[in-house]
């Protein structure tokens, strides 16, 4: 779970959104929720005609007369679908950085051509959403309650009135499961899953997984810590809920595991440490949250951080706590950790 969402733990109960004239009545009920963003997306590239249906991870079947053409998605979901040849009309969630460049969660999408309904937590422009005449909204879920990621609680009912939703769970399961679910979703939307680019990416993922398993087996004594930085706190993730860490652990990687009691404030996801106590756990390799909402290793100025053995040894790598769920984008997550294990030495 994203550490940067710590301030929203209580609010979410979890934690670390053309046809405007015809939709007038719905828009009147929706009010004036505002989000930032500009540009226009392209129609989804779909290759199927006739009725469309998909059962999401809430067990909810979505049925339409035709495959969705006007898709709106959480940014990372849009990026995953893009890798399979499906383009979305609009996105919500981290899409552009302060300098206007593509956020890490935008993947290979051309952000200048996307309609952005909200670029930060709590932002979701309902009026702009309605103007896209959405066929479906797609996002991930970080709990078992069916909470749609980055869809604001205060406006979720209004948003739900405009189009059905699909939720892909990334809660308490290994990475391969949501990867397959995204594959199934893309296929249902008309993606060519036999395209060389797609099949090659899956083969590269499988090879990268084998490499990581071998690297972990070769150096079982190396301890890896998954961390994230804010100005006031350092967060240490446990592996039991995160799709990437659960999978890496299953491949044999030896992780720092904060006790469950220490993760209570973090909803079971992570332990919060003051920077004075950042050396609580020994780690030979540190994986740091790569999202733009967190402080990156090069920008951490805390003396206690710089004294950590893994930091002094240069054994700090990036981690994507919200991985883009395409095989192409997940290959670097595996190879990066495998390479770190292969090169790392026991420190401390």
């Amino acid at each position: 779970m994203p550490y940067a969402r710590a301030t929203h733990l209580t609010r979410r109960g979890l934690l670390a959104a053309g046809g405007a004239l015809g939709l007038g009545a719905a828009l009147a009920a929706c009010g004036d929720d505002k989000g930032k963003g500009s540009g226009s997306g392209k129609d989804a590239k779909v290759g199927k005609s006739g009725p469309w249906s998909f059962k999401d991870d809430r067990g909810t079947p979505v049925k339409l007369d035709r495959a969705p053409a006007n898709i709106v998605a959480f940014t990372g979901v849009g990026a995953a679908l893009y890798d399979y040849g499906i383009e979305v009309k609009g996105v919500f969630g981290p899409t552009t950085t302060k300098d206007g460049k593509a956020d890490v969660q935008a993947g290979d999408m051309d952000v200048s051509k996307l309609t952005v309904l909200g670029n930060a937590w709590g932002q979701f422009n309902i009026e702009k959403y309605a103007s896209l005449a959405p066929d479906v909204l797609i996002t991930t879920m970080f709990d078992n309650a069916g909470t749609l990621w980055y869809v604001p609680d205060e406006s979720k009912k209004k948003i739900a009135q405009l189009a059905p939703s699909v939720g892909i769970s990334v809660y308490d399961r290994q990475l391969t499961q949501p990867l397959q679910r995204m594959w199934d979703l893309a296929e249902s939307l008309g993606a060519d899953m036999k395209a060389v680019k797609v099949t090659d990416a899956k083969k590269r993922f499988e090879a990268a997984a084998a490499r990581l398993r071998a690297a972990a087996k070769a150096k079982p004594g190396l301890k890896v810590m998954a961390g994230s930085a804010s100005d006031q706190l350092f967060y240490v993730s446990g592996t039991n809920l995160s799709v990437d860490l659960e999978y890496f652990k299953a491949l044999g990687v030896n992780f720092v595991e904060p006790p469950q009691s220490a993760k209570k404030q973090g909803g079971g996801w992570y332990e919060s440490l003051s920077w004075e106590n950042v050396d609580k756990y020994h780690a030979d390799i540190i994986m740091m949250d790569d999202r733009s909402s967190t402080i990156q290793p090069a920008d951490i100025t805390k003396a206690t951080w710089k004294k950590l053995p893994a930091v002094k040894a240069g054994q700090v790598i990036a981690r994507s706590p919200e991985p883009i769920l395409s095989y192409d984008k997940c290959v670097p997550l595996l190879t990066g950790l495998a390479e770190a294990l292969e090169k790392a030495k026991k420190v401390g």
Side-chain angles (χ1 to χ4, degrees):
M1 175 57 66
Y3 309 96
R5 312 298 173 232
T7 56
H8 302 291
L9 265 169
T10 302
R11 179 183 167 198
R12 294 302 296 262
L14 259 185
L15 306 174
L21 186 61
L23 291 168
L27 284 174
C30 290
D32 191 30
D33 290 29
K34 296 182 186 259
K36 297 180 180 179
S38 60
S40 58
K42 294 181 179 179
D43 288 344
K45 295 179 179 178
V46 293
K48 293 187 177 182
S49 59
W52 176 83
S53 65
F54 187 82
K55 182 180 286 188
D56 76 355
D57 290 338
R58 296 168 296 184
T60 303
V62 177
K63 298 181 180 180
L64 300 174
D65 293 336
R66 59 182 176 82
N70 297 343
I71 301 172
V72 173
F74 173 69
T75 303
V77 171
L81 292 175
Y82 184 89
D83 285 349
Y84 293 128
I86 304 295
E87 296 187 31
V88 301
K89 291 279 285 188
V91 294
F92 55 95
T95 307
T96 59
T97 57
K98 292 180 180 179
D99 58 6
K101 295 181 180 179
D103 187 273
V104 65
Q105 295 193 63
D108 292 334
M109 294 189 296
D110 184 347
V111 296
S112 69
K113 297 180 180 180
L114 292 171
T115 296
V116 183
L117 307 179
N119 198 53
W121 185 269
Q123 292 181 354
F124 195 111
N125 190 316
I126 300 178
E127 184 174 15
K128 189 177 290 185
Y129 178 54
S131 74
L132 294 174
D135 292 320
V136 68
L137 179 150
I138 308 173
T139 186
T140 49
M141 300 182 298
F142 280 89
D143 64 11
N144 279 332
T147 305
L148 297 176
W149 190 233
Y150 263 80
V151 173
D153 284 344
E154 61 271 19
S155 53
K156 63 182 181 182
K157 290 183 180 179
K158 297 174 184 178
I159 293 168
Q161 292 171 4
L162 299 175
S165 60
V166 168
I168 300 297
S169 180
V170 288
Y171 176 74
D172 195 17
R173 58 200 64 203
Q174 293 182 25
L175 179 61
T176 46
Q177 187 172 344
L179 270 173
Q180 183 60 51
R181 292 293 286 150
M182 193 63 69
W183 175 288
D184 295 340
L185 176 60
E187 186 173 35
S188 79
L189 293 169
D192 181 5
M193 309 313 284
K194 293 182 179 180
V196 173
K197 177 183 177 181
V198 174
T199 56
D200 279 359
K202 191 170 185 179
K203 290 176 182 177
R204 287 188 291 108
F205 178 89
E206 292 166 351
R211 178 182 176 182
L212 178 54
R213 187 189 296 276
K217 185 177 182 180
K219 295 184 177 180
L222 290 182
K223 205 77 170 178
V224 180
M225 180 167 68
S228 185
S230 70
D231 185 57
Q232 299 297 321
L233 295 170
F234 183 83
Y235 307 94
V236 180
S237 177
T239 63
N240 61 324
L241 297 179
S242 299
V243 291
D244 60 330
L245 301 185
E246 282 202 11
Y247 184 53
F248 300 157
K249 182 172 66 173
L251 292 175
V253 179
N254 184 13
F255 281 97
V256 167
E257 293 281 4
Q260 191 61 32
S261 58
K263 296 184 293 181
K264 189 174 181 180
Q265 272 194 316
W269 292 85
Y270 56 82
E271 178 181 3
S272 304
L273 298 175
S274 67
W275 282 102
E276 289 74 18
N277 296 315
V278 73
D279 60 352
K280 179 177 179 179
Y281 299 105
H282 168 79
D284 301 295
I285 298 171
I286 302 175
M287 302 176 69
M288 290 296 290
D289 189 336
D290 68 354
R291 292 168 302 168
S292 57
S293 57
T294 66
I295 300 176
Q296 297 305 300
D299 299 319
I300 299 175
T301 59
K302 308 291 184 181
T304 49
W305 163 261
K306 294 180 178 181
K307 291 179 181 178
L308 293 177
V311 175
K312 292 171 70 175
Q315 295 178 176
V316 178
I317 64 172
R319 177 202 170 203
S320 299
E322 294 181 62
I324 294 173
L325 297 172
S326 73
Y327 286 102
D328 179 72
K329 292 300 179 292
C330 287
V331 168
L333 310 185
L334 298 172
T335 55
L337 181 53
E339 184 176 342
L341 286 168
E342 291 162 356
K343 293 181 177 180
K345 297 180 180 179
K346 192 75 177 172
V347 295

